[in-house]
Amino acid sequence: DVKVTQSSRYLVKRTGEKVFLECVQDMDHENMFWYRQDPGLGLRLIYFSYDVKMKEKGDIPEGYSVSREKKERFSLILESASTNQTSMYLCASSPQQLGGNTEAFFGQGTRLTVV
Amino acid sequence: AQKITQTQPGMFVQEKEAVTLDCTYDTSDQSYGLFWYKQPSSGEMIFLIYQGSYDEQNATEGRYSLNFQKARKSANLVISASQLGDSAMYFCAMRELNTGFQKLVFGTGTRLLVSP
């Protein structure tokens, strides 16, 4: 059974704290993604990675950084958490291939509240 | 730049009726994939159906079908014989296969409510 696991389901952090959201996949996928989901805005891509140590900015990278030291693990870092980063964060992974169905598999999500 | 547009924030349908959820996309890539996901209130993202840009036939998966009109750049999801369990958020997504390192971009979603 394929699996993407996010380290926490719920998280409460204080403004200014450094926050780490961890994501692990067991499918040997090359691609990994971090999204935030807000009502009315859908899923917005923060960062993605197509290989170990490789990363690309998504549509809303400001205030975030990422780390991918191993193929199975992709971390999202909030350098100094702010209240406007309160959101649901979703991690996903997918294989990297040129054709066919390359559906992404999602973690269960982390609901982060910054107070 | 790749973009997905879902213009229906919410849709209502009665049980056993069919419903169409709209999705239009923008891309300059000739090779791409289109996806639909369902997100029930539990929050999990469930893959429903996939359509490749070079697929000649519309994709179907059980009660789900994708009405793919390439010239119009639309990829509408059709759910036949709606069930109460179909009540959820539905997201359309696209991956360009030749550019952008295959990043996956989503629309804003449509909330579907199925009434008895």
Side-chain angles (χ1 to χ4, degrees), chain B residues 27-116:
Chain B
T27 179
S28 55
D29 199 337
Q30 297 301 309
S31 182
Y32 51 90
L34 296 157
F35 305 80
W36 277 92
Y37 283 82
K38 172 184 178 181
Q39 187 182 45
S41 56
S42 57
E44 61 192 300
M45 292 287 283
I46 302 168
F47 165 74
L48 295 178
I49 196 166
Y50 167 82
Q51 178 84 43
S53 58
Y54 291 115
D55 293 341
E56 293 186 353
Q57 295 200 339
N58 287 342
T60 60
E61 289 286 347
R63 294 186 298 111
Y64 304 109
S65 60
L66 201 152
N67 184 359
F68 181 45
Q69 298 190 40
K70 196 169 182 177
R72 294 186 178 183
K73 293 189 174 179
S74 75
N76 298 338
L77 177 70
V78 181
I79 305 175
S80 63
S82 297
Q83 301 172 356
L84 295 178
D86 292 336
S87 293
M89 282 291 291
Y90 289 82
F91 292 98
C92 180
M94 177 177 67
R95 168 178 289 135
E96 293 175 337
L97 300 181
N98 290 329
T99 59
F101 301 103
Q102 299 191 1
K103 75 177 183 180
L104 183 62
V105 174
F106 284 79
T108 53
T110 296
R111 183 172 296 282
L112 176 66
L113 287 177
V114 181
S115 61

